[in-house]
Amino acid sequence: MQGYCFELITGPMSCGKTEELLRRIRRCIIAKKKVKVISPDVDTRTKGDYIESRNGLWLEAVKVKHSIQILSVVKPDDEIVAIDELQFFDENITKVITQLMNEGKKVIGTGLDLDFKGDTFGSMPQLMCIATQVDKLHAVCMKCGSDHATRTQRLINGKPADKNSPLIMIGGDETYEARCIKCYELPDAEAEKRREKEKNSLKLIKF
Ligand SMILES: [Zn+2]
């Protein structure tokens, strides 16, 4: 339970990141360590000032909008700093966590490594590099039941969302599920239209 370290828990949605974070925090509390729990203000899954895992466990947390504010929320006697949903913080988060480590704190964080498009999420690549320990958890694939789901599938009205779908959906029934690489789908209607157009123009040249 020594300080000067940063443990990062990552993986797709529903892989148990927050559950694992809460498990580690509880162990710190049993060891009578002073813990500060922080979550980004943008996380809409939880309504109040607490973090909650999908299996119903929860702990009080301080909501923070800008990552630099973490430095004033964390007090000198806090030994452990737990931060949920790191992918939502601005780019200063890397510097903030480095400073906390240098001050002798133990930082434990969670974050989605990839967004629904399969692109790296926020500062997660940098955070994975500065972490002293990275645990990449797998979820169960919601389509085939494989134990190795590493992707987050976005569904709009039950269908795989298009690559170009807007980040904020209005009026659509939007859900997310964990999938393995084999079952992960990312339709690109724009590219399909372009291919169709090219095919038709080739036909015109032929005849
Ligand atoms: Zn699958």
Side-chain angles (χ1 to χ4, degrees), residues 140-146 148-149 178-184:
V140 176
C141 175
M142 295 297 282
K143 208 174 173 196
C144 75
S146 142
H148 301 285
R179 290 206 183 173
C180 70
I181 292 176
K182 204 175 72 192
C183 296
Y184 172 73

Side-chain angles (χ1 to χ4, degrees), residues 116-117 154 156 161-170 174 176:
F116 85 95
K117 295 179 184 180
R154 183 193 211 183
I156 297 172
D162 191 88
K163 193 181 187 342
N164 306 300
S165 57
L167 277 177
I168 298 159
M169 292 293 300
I170 299 159
E174 185 194 21
Y176 291 89

Side-chain angles (χ1 to χ4, degrees), residues 81-97:
V81 182
I83 314 173
D84 201 22
E85 308 272 17
L86 280 166
Q87 78 279 0
F88 287 135
F89 282 99
D90 55 79
E91 59 192 26
N92 286 324
I93 192 67
T94 313
K95 280 186 213 153
V96 167
I97 290 179

Side-chain angles (χ1 to χ4, degrees), residues 26-44:
R26 278 178 206 281
R27 291 176 69 88
C28 297
I29 294 169
I30 292 167
K32 298 191 169 51
K33 299 278 177 186
K34 207 154 180 305
V35 186
K36 182 65 52 74
V37 186
I38 295 163
S39 76
D41 212 3
V42 288
D43 182 15
T44 50

Side-chain angles (χ1 to χ4, degrees), residues 89-184:
F89 282 99
D90 55 79
E91 59 192 26
N92 286 324
I93 192 67
T94 313
K95 280 186 213 153
V96 167
I97 290 179
T98 302
Q99 187 171 328
L100 292 173
M101 271 198 284
N102 289 340
E103 285 170 10
K105 315 278 186 207
K106 173 178 178 160
V107 183
I108 317 173
T110 71
L112 275 171
D113 46 1
L114 301 170
D115 64 15
F116 85 95
K117 295 179 184 180
D119 295 332
T120 55
F121 214 140
S123 298
M124 286 303 286
Q126 287 80 3
L127 293 174
M128 283 171 86
C129 288
I130 66 156
T132 52
Q133 182 187 321
V134 177
D135 289 293
K136 206 158 172 172
L137 306 183
H138 292 169
V140 176
C141 175
M142 295 297 282
K143 208 174 173 196
C144 75
S146 142
D147 213 19
H148 301 285
T150 55
R151 298 291 184 269
T152 301
Q153 178 74 57
R154 183 193 211 183
L155 300 165
I156 297 172
N157 298 322
K159 291 198 182 72
D162 191 88
K163 193 181 187 342
N164 306 300
S165 57
L167 277 177
I168 298 159
M169 292 293 300
I170 299 159
D173 177 21
E174 185 194 21
T175 52
Y176 291 89
E177 62 181 31
R179 290 206 183 173
C180 70
I181 292 176
K182 204 175 72 192
C183 296
Y184 172 73

